[in-house]
Amino acid sequence: LARGIQHTAVRQAHRKYEPDFHDKYGNLVLLGGAVVFTAVWGYVFTQTGMEWGLSPVGRITPKEWRE
């Protein structure tokens, strides 16, 4: 039994390595995702009109009450 397992391991080790999807396209997919992520968040941060400030003190004032 051990001899058969050893023989199989040697045969697989000598098999020609074929690159899979991740070897071929992994970096490209990662780079594409980073570009989309940056573009979307860049748009959100610059175009949505949000005011960035950590403290709301002094910014939030009550509206006048209308009767």
Side-chain angles (χ1 to χ4, degrees):
L1 180 66
R3 193 170 208 141
I5 293 171
Q6 187 180 20
H7 185 71
T8 304
V10 168
R11 198 174 349 135
Q12 286 179 348
H14 284 289
R15 192 180 62 173
K16 191 167 76 91
Y17 178 73
E18 292 131 12
D20 62 0
F21 179 84
H22 296 286
D23 292 327
K24 287 182 181 177
Y25 306 111
N27 289 335
L28 197 64
V29 170
L30 188 67
L31 190 65
V35 167
V36 171
F37 178 88
T38 306
V40 168
W41 281 108
Y43 176 81
V44 168
F45 285 141
T46 58
Q47 302 298 316
T48 54
M50 284 192 248
E51 286 197 13
W52 299 98
L54 295 178
S55 174
V57 175
R59 293 174 186 258
I60 299 174
T61 54
K63 287 185 185 173
E64 290 296 322
W65 182 258
R66 284 183 294 192
E67 297 206 24

